[in-house]
Structure formats: C-alpha cells, structure tokens
Amino acid sequence: MANHKSALKRIRSNEAKRLRNRYQHKTTRNAIRKLREADKKEAEAMLPSVVGMIDKLAKKNVIHDNKAANLKSKLAKHVATL
C-alpha cells in the first residue's frame, strides 16, 4: 500500500483516467461498428464524427497513432465503396 499522500492521489487519478479511457475506447468501437453496418447516406454523415473520436483517442494515447491512421483509412475506403 502507498504511504505518501501524493502516491494515494496518483492511484485515485490513475483509476479515474483508466475508467474514462475505457469508456471512450468502447464508445468509439461501437461507433465504428455502427458505421460499418450503416447504409451509404448514414455512413457518410457519421464518418466525420467517428474520425474525430478516433483522433481524440490517438491524441490521448489510448490507441497508437498508426492504429488510428489505419482505422480512418479503412473506414474512408469502406464508405467510398458503398
């Protein structure tokens, strides 16, 4: 168990950040799933918001920058072929 006040605070803040990251990551994955199932018009409307969600995850280091780039590329290609 941590003995210092700052260590206790770090444990609390890390847990809050972990839960926030998990929620945002799961929400983004669900949005990607919905976009892949949507028809052309819906997918085109959803694409900018989903790309923004992916960019935000990459910016916060929840996912790697290259993974974000790959996801965005695949989604853009998917929407273009609909």
Coordinates of all heavy atoms in Angstrom, one line a residue:
M1 N 0.8 -1.2 0.0 CA 0.0 0.0 0.0 C 0.9 1.2 0.0 O 1.9 1.3 0.6 CB -0.9 0.0 1.3 CG -1.9 1.1 1.4 SD -3.1 1.0 0.0 CE -3.7 2.7 0.1
A2 N 0.4 2.3 -0.7 CA 1.2 3.5 -0.8 C 1.2 4.2 0.6 O 0.2 4.2 1.3 CB 0.6 4.4 -1.8
N3 N 2.3 4.9 0.9 CA 2.5 5.5 2.1 C 2.4 7.1 2.0 O 2.1 7.7 3.0 CB 3.8 5.2 2.8 CG 3.9 3.7 3.2 OD1 2.9 3.2 3.7 ND2 5.0 3.1 2.9
H4 N 2.7 7.6 0.9 CA 2.7 9.0 0.7 C 1.3 9.5 0.2 O 0.6 8.9 -0.6 CB 3.8 9.4 -0.3 CG 5.2 9.1 0.2 ND1 5.8 9.9 1.1 CD2 6.0 8.1 -0.1 CE1 7.0 9.4 1.4 NE2 7.1 8.3 0.7
K5 N 1.0 10.8 0.5 CA -0.2 11.4 0.1 C -0.3 11.5 -1.4 O -1.3 11.2 -2.0 CB -0.3 12.8 0.7 CG -1.6 13.0 1.5 CD -1.6 14.4 2.0 CE -2.8 14.6 2.9 NZ -2.9 15.9 3.5
S6 N 0.8 11.9 -2.0 CA 0.9 12.0 -3.5 C 0.7 10.7 -4.2 O 0.0 10.7 -5.2 CB 2.2 12.7 -3.9 OG 3.3 11.9 -3.5
A7 N 1.2 9.6 -3.6 CA 1.0 8.3 -4.2 C -0.4 7.9 -4.1 O -1.0 7.3 -5.1 CB 1.9 7.3 -3.5
L8 N -1.1 8.2 -3.0 CA -2.5 7.8 -2.9 C -3.3 8.6 -3.9 O -4.3 8.1 -4.5 CB -3.0 8.2 -1.5 CG -2.4 7.3 -0.4 CD1 -2.8 7.8 1.0 CD2 -2.9 5.9 -0.5
K9 N -3.0 9.9 -4.1 CA -3.7 10.7 -5.1 C -3.5 10.2 -6.5 O -4.4 10.1 -7.3 CB -3.2 12.2 -5.0 CG -4.0 13.1 -5.9 CD -3.6 14.5 -5.7 CE -4.3 15.4 -6.7 NZ -3.9 16.8 -6.6
R10 N -2.2 9.8 -6.8 CA -1.9 9.2 -8.1 C -2.7 7.9 -8.3 O -3.2 7.8 -9.5 CB -0.4 8.9 -8.1 CG 0.1 8.3 -9.4 CD -0.2 9.1 -10.6 NE 0.6 10.3 -10.6 CZ 0.4 11.3 -11.5 NH1 -0.5 11.2 -12.4 NH2 1.1 12.4 -11.4
I11 N -2.9 7.1 -7.4 CA -3.7 5.9 -7.5 C -5.1 6.2 -7.9 O -5.7 5.7 -8.8 CB -3.6 5.0 -6.2 CG1 -2.2 4.4 -6.1 CG2 -4.7 4.0 -6.2 CD1 -2.0 3.8 -4.7
R12 N -5.7 7.2 -7.1 CA -7.1 7.7 -7.4 C -7.2 8.2 -8.8 O -8.1 7.9 -9.6 CB -7.5 8.7 -6.4 CG -7.8 8.1 -5.0 CD -8.6 9.1 -4.2 NE -8.0 10.5 -4.2 CZ -7.1 10.9 -3.3 NH1 -6.7 10.1 -2.3 NH2 -6.7 12.1 -3.3
S13 N -6.3 9.1 -9.2 CA -6.4 9.8 -10.5 C -6.1 8.8 -11.7 O -6.8 8.8 -12.7 CB -5.4 10.9 -10.6 OG -4.1 10.5 -10.6
N14 N -5.2 7.8 -11.4 CA -5.0 6.8 -12.5 C -6.2 5.9 -12.7 O -6.5 5.6 -13.9 CB -3.8 5.9 -12.1 CG -2.5 6.5 -12.3 OD1 -2.4 7.5 -12.9 ND2 -1.4 5.9 -11.7
E15 N -6.9 5.6 -11.6 CA -8.1 4.8 -11.8 C -9.2 5.6 -12.5 O -9.9 5.0 -13.4 CB -8.6 4.4 -10.4 CG -9.9 3.5 -10.4 CD -9.7 2.2 -11.1 OE1 -8.6 1.8 -11.4 OE2 -10.8 1.6 -11.4
A16 N -9.4 6.9 -12.2 CA -10.3 7.7 -12.9 C -10.0 7.8 -14.4 O -10.9 7.7 -15.2 CB -10.4 9.1 -12.3
K17 N -8.7 8.0 -14.7 CA -8.3 8.1 -16.1 C -8.5 6.8 -16.8 O -8.9 6.8 -18.0 CB -6.8 8.5 -16.2 CG -6.6 10.0 -15.8 CD -5.1 10.3 -15.8 CE -4.9 11.7 -15.3 NZ -3.5 12.0 -15.0
R18 N -8.2 5.7 -16.1 CA -8.4 4.4 -16.8 C -9.8 4.1 -17.1 O -10.1 3.7 -18.3 CB -7.9 3.3 -15.8 CG -7.9 1.9 -16.4 CD -7.6 0.8 -15.4 NE -8.6 0.6 -14.4 CZ -9.7 -0.2 -14.6 NH1 -9.8 -0.9 -15.7 NH2 -10.6 -0.3 -13.6
L19 N -10.8 4.5 -16.2 CA -12.2 4.3 -16.5 C -12.7 5.2 -17.6 O -13.4 4.7 -18.5 CB -13.0 4.5 -15.2 CG -12.8 3.5 -14.1 CD1 -13.5 3.9 -12.9 CD2 -13.3 2.1 -14.6
R20 N -12.2 6.4 -17.6 CA -12.5 7.3 -18.7 C -12.0 6.8 -20.1 O -12.8 6.9 -21.0 CB -12.0 8.7 -18.4 CG -12.5 9.8 -19.4 CD -12.0 11.2 -19.1 NE -12.0 11.5 -17.7 CZ -10.9 11.8 -16.9 NH1 -9.7 11.7 -17.5 NH2 -11.0 12.1 -15.7
N21 N -10.8 6.4 -20.1 CA -10.2 5.9 -21.3 C -11.0 4.7 -21.8 O -11.2 4.5 -23.0 CB -8.7 5.5 -21.1 CG -7.8 6.7 -21.0 OD1 -8.2 7.8 -21.4 ND2 -6.7 6.5 -20.4
R22 N -11.3 3.8 -20.9 CA -12.1 2.6 -21.3 C -13.4 2.9 -21.9 O -13.8 2.3 -22.9 CB -12.2 1.7 -20.0 CG -12.3 0.2 -20.3 CD -12.2 -0.6 -19.0 NE -13.6 -0.9 -18.6 CZ -14.0 -1.5 -17.5 NH1 -13.0 -1.8 -16.7 NH2 -15.2 -1.7 -17.2
Y23 N -14.1 3.8 -21.2 CA -15.4 4.3 -21.7 C -15.3 4.9 -23.1 O -16.1 4.5 -24.0 CB -16.0 5.3 -20.7 CG -17.3 5.9 -21.3 CD1 -18.5 5.3 -21.2 CD2 -17.3 7.2 -21.8 CE1 -19.7 5.8 -21.7 CE2 -18.4 7.8 -22.3 CZ -19.6 7.1 -22.3 OH -20.7 7.7 -22.8
Q24 N -14.4 5.8 -23.3 CA -14.2 6.4 -24.6 C -13.8 5.4 -25.7 O -14.3 5.5 -26.8 CB -13.2 7.6 -24.5 CG -13.7 8.7 -23.7 CD -12.7 9.8 -23.5 OE1 -11.5 9.6 -23.7 NE2 -13.2 11.0 -23.1
H25 N -12.9 4.5 -25.3 CA -12.5 3.5 -26.3 C -13.6 2.6 -26.7 O -13.8 2.3 -27.9 CB -11.4 2.7 -25.7 CG -10.6 1.9 -26.7 ND1 -9.6 1.0 -26.4 CD2 -10.6 1.8 -28.1 CE1 -9.1 0.4 -27.4 NE2 -9.7 0.9 -28.5
K26 N -14.4 2.2 -25.8 CA -15.6 1.3 -26.1 C -16.6 2.0 -26.9 O -17.2 1.5 -27.8 CB -16.2 0.8 -24.7 CG -17.3 -0.2 -24.9 CD -16.8 -1.5 -25.5 CE -17.9 -2.5 -25.5 NZ -17.5 -3.8 -26.2
T27 N -16.9 3.3 -26.6 CA -17.8 4.1 -27.3 C -17.4 4.3 -28.7 O -18.2 4.2 -29.7 CB -18.0 5.5 -26.6 OG1 -18.3 5.3 -25.3 CG2 -19.0 6.3 -27.3
T28 N -16.1 4.5 -28.9 CA -15.6 4.6 -30.3 C -15.7 3.3 -31.1 O -16.1 3.3 -32.3 CB -14.1 5.1 -30.3 OG1 -14.0 6.3 -29.5 CG2 -13.6 5.3 -31.7
R29 N -15.4 2.2 -30.4 CA -15.5 0.9 -31.1 C -17.0 0.7 -31.5 O -17.2 0.2 -32.6 CB -15.0 -0.2 -30.2 CG -13.5 -0.2 -30.1 CD -13.0 -1.6 -29.6 NE -13.6 -2.0 -28.4 CZ -13.1 -2.0 -27.2 NH1 -11.9 -1.4 -27.0 NH2 -13.7 -2.4 -26.1
N30 N -17.9 1.0 -30.7 CA -19.3 0.8 -31.0 C -19.7 1.8 -32.2 O -20.5 1.3 -33.1 CB -20.2 1.1 -29.8 CG -20.2 0.0 -28.8 OD1 -19.9 -1.1 -29.1 ND2 -20.4 0.4 -27.6
A31 N -19.2 3.0 -32.2 CA -19.5 3.9 -33.3 C -18.9 3.4 -34.6 O -19.6 3.5 -35.7 CB -18.9 5.3 -33.0
I32 N -17.7 2.8 -34.6 CA -17.1 2.2 -35.8 C -18.0 1.0 -36.3 O -18.2 0.9 -37.5 CB -15.7 1.7 -35.5 CG1 -14.8 2.9 -35.3 CG2 -15.2 0.8 -36.6 CD1 -13.4 2.6 -34.7
R33 N -18.5 0.2 -35.3 CA -19.3 -0.9 -35.7 C -20.6 -0.4 -36.4 O -21.0 -1.0 -37.4 CB -19.6 -1.7 -34.4 CG -19.9 -3.2 -34.7 CD -20.0 -4.0 -33.4 NE -18.6 -4.1 -32.8 CZ -18.3 -3.9 -31.6 NH1 -19.2 -3.4 -30.7 NH2 -17.1 -4.0 -31.1
K34 N -21.2 0.6 -35.8 CA -22.5 1.2 -36.4 C -22.2 1.7 -37.8 O -23.0 1.6 -38.7 CB -23.0 2.3 -35.5 CG -23.8 1.8 -34.3 CD -24.4 2.9 -33.5 CE -25.0 2.4 -32.3 NZ -25.4 3.5 -31.4
L35 N -21.1 2.4 -38.0 CA -20.7 3.0 -39.3 C -20.5 1.9 -40.3 O -21.0 2.0 -41.4 CB -19.4 3.8 -39.2 CG -19.1 4.6 -40.4 CD1 -18.7 6.0 -40.0 CD2 -17.9 3.9 -41.2
R36 N -19.9 0.8 -39.9 CA -19.7 -0.3 -40.9 C -21.0 -1.0 -41.3 O -21.2 -1.5 -42.4 CB -18.8 -1.4 -40.3 CG -17.4 -0.9 -40.2 CD -16.4 -2.0 -40.1 NE -15.0 -1.6 -40.2 CZ -14.1 -1.7 -39.2 NH1 -14.4 -2.3 -38.1 NH2 -12.9 -1.2 -39.4
E37 N -22.0 -0.9 -40.4 CA -23.3 -1.5 -40.7 C -24.3 -0.6 -41.4 O -25.3 -1.0 -42.0 CB -24.0 -2.0 -39.4 CG -23.3 -3.2 -38.7 CD -23.8 -3.5 -37.4 OE1 -24.7 -2.8 -36.9 OE2 -23.3 -4.5 -36.8
A38 N -24.0 0.7 -41.4 CA -24.9 1.7 -42.0 C -24.9 1.7 -43.5 O -24.0 1.2 -44.1 CB -24.5 3.1 -41.5
D39 N -26.0 2.3 -44.0 CA -26.0 2.4 -45.5 C -25.2 3.7 -45.9 O -24.7 4.4 -45.0 CB -27.5 2.5 -46.0 CG -28.2 3.7 -45.4 OD1 -27.8 4.2 -44.3 OD2 -29.1 4.2 -46.1
K40 N -25.1 3.9 -47.2 CA -24.2 5.0 -47.8 C -24.5 6.3 -47.1 O -23.5 7.0 -46.7 CB -24.4 5.0 -49.3 CG -23.6 6.1 -50.0 CD -22.4 5.6 -50.6 CE -21.7 6.6 -51.5 NZ -20.3 6.6 -51.4
K41 N -25.7 6.8 -47.1 CA -26.0 8.1 -46.7 C -25.7 8.3 -45.2 O -25.1 9.3 -44.8 CB -27.5 8.4 -46.9 CG -27.8 9.9 -46.9 CD -29.2 10.1 -47.5 CE -29.4 11.6 -47.7 NZ -30.6 11.9 -48.4
E42 N -26.1 7.3 -44.4 CA -25.8 7.4 -42.9 C -24.3 7.3 -42.7 O -23.8 8.1 -41.8 CB -26.5 6.2 -42.2 CG -27.9 6.3 -41.9 CD -28.5 5.1 -41.2 OE1 -27.9 4.8 -40.1 OE2 -29.4 4.5 -41.7
A43 N -23.6 6.5 -43.4 CA -22.2 6.3 -43.2 C -21.4 7.6 -43.5 O -20.5 8.0 -42.8 CB -21.7 5.1 -44.0
E44 N -21.8 8.2 -44.6 CA -21.2 9.5 -45.0 C -21.4 10.6 -43.9 O -20.5 11.4 -43.6 CB -21.7 10.0 -46.3 CG -21.1 9.2 -47.5 CD -21.7 9.6 -48.8 OE1 -22.7 10.3 -48.8 OE2 -21.1 9.3 -49.8
A45 N -22.6 10.6 -43.3 CA -22.9 11.5 -42.3 C -22.1 11.2 -41.0 O -21.7 12.1 -40.3 CB -24.4 11.6 -42.0
M46 N -21.9 10.0 -40.7 CA -21.3 9.5 -39.4 C -19.8 9.6 -39.5 O -19.1 9.8 -38.5 CB -21.7 8.1 -39.1 CG -23.1 7.9 -38.6 SD -23.5 6.2 -38.4 CE -22.3 5.6 -37.2
L47 N -19.2 9.5 -40.7 CA -17.7 9.4 -40.8 C -17.0 10.5 -40.2 O -16.0 10.2 -39.4 CB -17.4 9.3 -42.3 CG -15.9 9.1 -42.6 CD1 -15.4 7.7 -42.0 CD2 -15.6 9.1 -44.1
P48 N -17.3 11.8 -40.3 CA -16.5 12.9 -39.7 C -16.5 12.8 -38.1 O -15.4 13.0 -37.5 CB -17.2 14.2 -40.1 CG -17.9 13.8 -41.4 CD -18.3 12.4 -41.2
S49 N -17.6 12.4 -37.6 CA -17.7 12.3 -36.1 C -16.9 11.1 -35.6 O -16.2 11.2 -34.6 CB -19.1 12.2 -35.6 OG -19.7 11.1 -36.0
V50 N -16.9 10.0 -36.3 CA -16.2 8.8 -35.9 C -14.7 9.1 -36.1 O -13.9 8.7 -35.2 CB -16.6 7.6 -36.7 CG1 -15.7 6.4 -36.5 CG2 -18.1 7.2 -36.4
V51 N -14.3 9.7 -37.1 CA -12.9 10.1 -37.4 C -12.4 11.0 -36.2 O -11.3 10.8 -35.7 CB -12.7 10.7 -38.7 CG1 -11.3 11.4 -38.8 CG2 -12.8 9.7 -39.8
G52 N -13.2 11.9 -35.8 CA -12.9 12.8 -34.7 C -12.7 12.0 -33.4 O -11.8 12.3 -32.6
M53 N -13.5 11.0 -33.2 CA -13.4 10.2 -32.0 C -12.1 9.4 -32.0 O -11.4 9.3 -31.0 CB -14.6 9.2 -31.9 CG -15.9 9.9 -31.6 SD -17.3 8.7 -31.8 CE -17.3 8.0 -30.2
I54 N -11.8 8.9 -33.2 CA -10.5 8.1 -33.3 C -9.3 9.1 -33.1 O -8.4 8.7 -32.4 CB -10.4 7.5 -34.7 CG1 -11.5 6.4 -34.8 CG2 -9.1 6.9 -35.0 CD1 -11.7 5.8 -36.2
D55 N -9.4 10.3 -33.7 CA -8.3 11.2 -33.5 C -8.1 11.6 -32.0 O -7.0 11.7 -31.5 CB -8.5 12.5 -34.3 CG -8.2 12.3 -35.8 OD1 -7.4 11.4 -36.1 OD2 -8.8 13.1 -36.6
K56 N -9.2 11.7 -31.3 CA -9.1 12.1 -29.9 C -8.5 11.0 -29.1 O -7.6 11.2 -28.2 CB -10.5 12.4 -29.3 CG -10.5 13.0 -27.9 CD -11.9 13.3 -27.5 CE -12.2 14.7 -27.6 NZ -13.5 15.1 -27.0
L57 N -8.8 9.7 -29.4 CA -8.2 8.6 -28.7 C -6.7 8.5 -29.0 O -5.9 8.3 -28.1 CB -8.8 7.2 -29.2 CG -10.2 6.9 -28.7 CD1 -10.6 5.6 -29.2 CD2 -10.3 6.9 -27.2
A58 N -6.3 8.8 -30.2 CA -4.9 8.8 -30.6 C -4.1 10.0 -29.8 O -3.0 9.8 -29.4 CB -4.7 8.9 -32.1
K59 N -4.8 11.1 -29.8 CA -4.2 12.3 -29.1 C -3.9 12.0 -27.6 O -2.9 12.4 -27.1 CB -5.1 13.5 -29.3 CG -4.5 14.8 -28.7 CD -5.5 15.9 -29.0 CE -5.0 17.2 -28.3 NZ -6.0 18.3 -28.4
K60 N -4.9 11.3 -27.0 CA -4.7 11.0 -25.6 C -3.9 9.7 -25.3 O -3.9 9.2 -24.2 CB -6.1 10.8 -25.0 CG -7.0 12.0 -25.1 CD -6.7 13.0 -24.1 CE -7.8 14.2 -24.2 NZ -7.4 15.3 -23.3
N61 N -3.3 9.1 -26.4 CA -2.5 7.9 -26.3 C -3.3 6.7 -25.8 O -2.7 5.8 -25.1 CB -1.3 8.1 -25.4 CG -0.3 9.0 -26.1 OD1 0.0 8.9 -27.3 ND2 0.3 9.9 -25.3
V62 N -4.6 6.7 -26.0 CA -5.4 5.5 -25.7 C -5.1 4.4 -26.8 O -5.0 3.2 -26.5 CB -6.9 5.8 -25.6 CG1 -7.7 4.6 -25.3 CG2 -7.1 6.9 -24.5
I63 N -5.0 4.9 -28.0 CA -4.6 4.0 -29.1 C -3.4 4.6 -29.8 O -3.1 5.8 -29.7 CB -5.7 3.7 -30.1 CG1 -6.2 5.0 -30.8 CG2 -6.9 3.0 -29.5 CD1 -7.2 4.8 -31.9
H64 N -2.6 3.8 -30.5 CA -1.4 4.3 -31.2 C -1.8 5.1 -32.4 O -2.9 4.9 -33.0 CB -0.6 3.1 -31.6 CG 0.8 3.4 -32.0 ND1 1.2 3.9 -33.2 CD2 2.0 3.4 -31.2 CE1 2.5 4.1 -33.2 NE2 3.0 3.9 -32.1
D65 N -1.0 6.1 -32.8 CA -1.2 7.0 -33.9 C -1.4 6.2 -35.2 O -2.2 6.5 -36.0 CB -0.1 8.0 -34.1 CG 0.0 9.0 -33.0 OD1 -1.1 9.2 -32.3 OD2 1.0 9.6 -32.8
N66 N -0.5 5.1 -35.4 CA -0.6 4.3 -36.6 C -1.9 3.5 -36.7 O -2.5 3.4 -37.7 CB 0.6 3.4 -36.7 CG 1.9 4.1 -36.9 OD1 1.9 5.3 -37.2 ND2 3.0 3.4 -36.8
K67 N -2.4 3.0 -35.5 CA -3.7 2.3 -35.5 C -4.8 3.3 -35.8 O -5.7 2.9 -36.6 CB -3.9 1.7 -34.1 CG -5.2 0.9 -34.0 CD -5.5 0.4 -32.6 CE -6.8 -0.2 -32.5 NZ -6.8 -1.6 -33.0
A68 N -4.7 4.5 -35.4 CA -5.8 5.5 -35.7 C -5.8 5.7 -37.2 O -6.8 5.8 -37.8 CB -5.5 6.8 -34.9
A69 N -4.6 5.9 -37.8 CA -4.5 6.2 -39.2 C -5.0 5.0 -40.0 O -5.7 5.2 -41.0 CB -3.0 6.4 -39.6
N70 N -4.7 3.8 -39.6 CA -5.2 2.6 -40.3 C -6.7 2.5 -40.2 O -7.4 2.2 -41.2 CB -4.6 1.3 -39.7 CG -3.1 1.1 -40.0 OD1 -2.7 1.7 -41.0 ND2 -2.4 0.4 -39.2
L71 N -7.3 2.7 -39.0 CA -8.7 2.7 -38.8 C -9.4 3.7 -39.7 O -10.4 3.4 -40.4 CB -9.1 3.0 -37.4 CG -9.0 1.8 -36.4 CD1 -9.2 2.3 -35.0 CD2 -10.0 0.7 -36.7
K72 N -8.9 5.0 -39.7 CA -9.5 6.0 -40.5 C -9.4 5.7 -42.0 O -10.4 5.9 -42.7 CB -8.8 7.4 -40.3 CG -9.0 7.9 -38.9 CD -8.6 9.3 -38.6 CE -7.1 9.5 -38.9 NZ -6.7 10.9 -38.6
S73 N -8.3 5.2 -42.4 CA -8.1 4.8 -43.8 C -9.1 3.7 -44.2 O -9.8 3.8 -45.3 CB -6.7 4.3 -44.1 OG -6.6 3.8 -45.4
K74 N -9.3 2.7 -43.4 CA -10.2 1.6 -43.7 C -11.6 2.0 -43.8 O -12.4 1.6 -44.6 CB -10.0 0.4 -42.7 CG -8.8 -0.4 -42.9 CD -8.6 -1.5 -41.9 CE -7.3 -2.2 -42.1 NZ -7.0 -3.1 -41.0
L75 N -12.0 2.9 -42.8 CA -13.4 3.4 -42.8 C -13.7 4.3 -44.0 O -14.7 4.2 -44.6 CB -13.6 4.2 -41.5 CG -13.7 3.4 -40.2 CD1 -13.8 4.3 -39.0 CD2 -14.8 2.4 -40.2
A76 N -12.7 5.2 -44.4 CA -12.9 6.0 -45.5 C -13.0 5.2 -46.8 O -13.9 5.4 -47.6 CB -11.7 7.0 -45.7
K77 N -12.2 4.1 -46.9 CA -12.3 3.2 -48.0 C -13.6 2.5 -48.1 O -14.3 2.3 -49.1 CB -11.1 2.2 -48.0 CG -10.9 1.5 -49.3 CD -9.9 0.4 -49.1 CE -8.5 0.9 -49.2 NZ -7.5 -0.2 -49.2
H78 N -14.1 2.1 -46.9 CA -15.4 1.4 -46.8 C -16.5 2.2 -47.2 O -17.4 1.8 -48.0 CB -15.6 0.9 -45.3 CG -16.9 0.3 -45.1 ND1 -17.3 -1.0 -45.5 CD2 -18.0 0.8 -44.5 CE1 -18.5 -1.2 -45.2 NE2 -19.0 -0.2 -44.5
V79 N -16.5 3.5 -46.8 CA -17.6 4.4 -47.1 C -17.6 4.7 -48.6 O -18.6 4.8 -49.3 CB -17.5 5.7 -46.3 CG1 -18.5 6.8 -46.8 CG2 -17.8 5.4 -44.8
A80 N -16.4 4.8 -49.2 CA -16.2 5.1 -50.6 C -16.8 4.0 -51.5 O -17.3 4.3 -52.6 CB -14.8 5.4 -50.9
T81 N -16.6 2.8 -51.0 CA -17.1 1.6 -51.8 C -18.6 1.3 -51.7 O -19.1 0.5 -52.4 CB -16.3 0.4 -51.5 OG1 -16.4 0.1 -50.1 CG2 -14.8 0.5 -51.8
L82 N -19.2 2.0 -50.7 CA -20.7 1.7 -50.5 C -21.5 2.2 -51.7 O -21.2 3.1 -52.4 CB -21.2 2.4 -49.3 CG -20.8 1.8 -48.0 CD1 -21.3 2.6 -46.8 CD2 -21.4 0.4 -47.8

